[in-house]
């Protein structure tokens, strides 16, 4: 006696095996995070490319790769996001009678920041300052969540947050691009 396959439903649709709903939710979250990362790169790319061109012109660098390496090294050394540094390079006017290289400039110590507790007493990075300021404001106001936004290239970009989900921060980043 042979066993026959079950007949499809009368409406002609073939039912697929149900995926585990937890796996499906996990995949949706992963895809949303991946989309948010791609959106962030898409918004940052023009400013980084423009900064590469500025650096090539100002310092007579041989190729875009050399200017990108310079941006990447400075970003890592000073713990500043690459797109933030690129925006600063583009907005900073060139001084023809100034030092030829940033390393030739006199270094000044960072200003004192009373009331902000940061991890490194000898060197304070932008991210540490913004995080410390955000948490101090949240403590004073009793807020359970908050964010810090900086203007970059005519757009507001959320650079630090606490208590906010990734989907919300990505949505706010997209609004920042539309609001200018």
């Amino acid at each position: 006696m042979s066993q026959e396959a079950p007949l499809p439903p009368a409406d002609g649709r073939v039912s697929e095996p149900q995926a585990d709903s937890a796996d499906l939710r996990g995949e949706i979250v992963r895809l949303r995070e991946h989309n948010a990362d791609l959106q962030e790169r898409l918004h940052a790319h023009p400013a980084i490319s423009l900064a590469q061109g500025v650096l090539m012109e100002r310092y007579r660098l041989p190729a875009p790769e050399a200017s990108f390496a310079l941006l990447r090294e400075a970003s890592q050394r000073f713990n500043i996001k690459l797109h933030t540094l690129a925006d600063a390079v583009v907005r900073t006017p060139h001084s023809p009678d100034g030092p030829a290289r940033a390393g030739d400039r006199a270094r000044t110590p960072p200003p004192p920041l009373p009331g902000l507790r940061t991890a490194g007493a000898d060197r304070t990075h932008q991210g540490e300052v913004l995080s410390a300021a955000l948490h101090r404001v949240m403590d004073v106001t009793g807020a359970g969540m908050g964010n810090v936004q900086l203007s970059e290239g005519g757009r507001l970009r959320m650079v630090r947050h606490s208590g906010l989900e990734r989907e919300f921060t990505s949505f706010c980043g997209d609004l920042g691009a539309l609001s200018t």
Side-chain angles (χ1 to χ4, degrees):
M1 183 173 206
S2 70
Q3 216 173 13
E4 294 183 22
L7 294 174
D11 61 6
R13 291 182 291 162
V14 178
S15 61
E16 296 288 326
Q18 292 282 330
D20 183 28
S21 62
D23 290 343
L24 187 57
R25 280 193 295 268
E27 182 66 8
I28 289 171
V29 167
R30 189 192 68 74
L31 288 172
R32 284 183 177 160
E33 288 178 1
H34 182 69
N35 184 41
D37 289 339
L38 291 175
Q39 291 280 343
E40 188 171 322
R41 287 182 183 187
L42 178 68
H43 292 303
H45 184 76
I48 293 170
S49 294
L50 186 57
Q52 284 179 266
V54 167
L55 290 172
M56 286 175 61
E57 185 271 328
R58 285 186 188 168
Y59 302 111
R60 295 180 208 92
L61 298 175
E65 293 80 15
S67 58
F68 184 77
L70 184 63
L71 282 169
R72 186 183 62 236
E73 180 184 320
S75 170
Q76 291 172 352
R77 181 175 178 196
F78 297 106
N79 195 22
I80 299 173
K81 292 218 178 220
L82 188 63
H83 59 80
T84 302
L85 182 61
D87 188 59
V89 165
V90 170
R91 289 186 297 124
T92 303
H94 178 59
S95 173
D97 38 317
R101 296 181 47 93
D104 299 336
R105 295 187 183 122
R107 294 210 179 253
T108 58
L113 300 168
L116 294 181
R117 295 175 296 281
T118 58
D122 58 336
R123 176 181 249 167
T124 304
H125 296 293
Q126 179 191 37
E128 293 174 347
V129 171
L130 294 176
S131 290
L134 172 61
H135 287 95
R136 179 70 177 127
V137 168
M138 288 174 59
D139 287 345
V140 168
T141 61
M145 61 182 77
N147 70 74
V148 175
Q149 298 179 27
L150 297 178
S151 175
E152 293 179 358
R155 299 182 50 217
L156 285 178
R157 182 183 296 270
M158 189 179 305
V159 293
R160 286 286 181 262
H161 69 85
S162 179
L164 303 174
E165 294 183 15
R166 175 73 184 251
E167 187 173 334
F168 177 79
T169 59
S170 297
F171 176 75
C172 288
D174 291 341
L175 286 179
L178 299 173
S179 66
T180 57

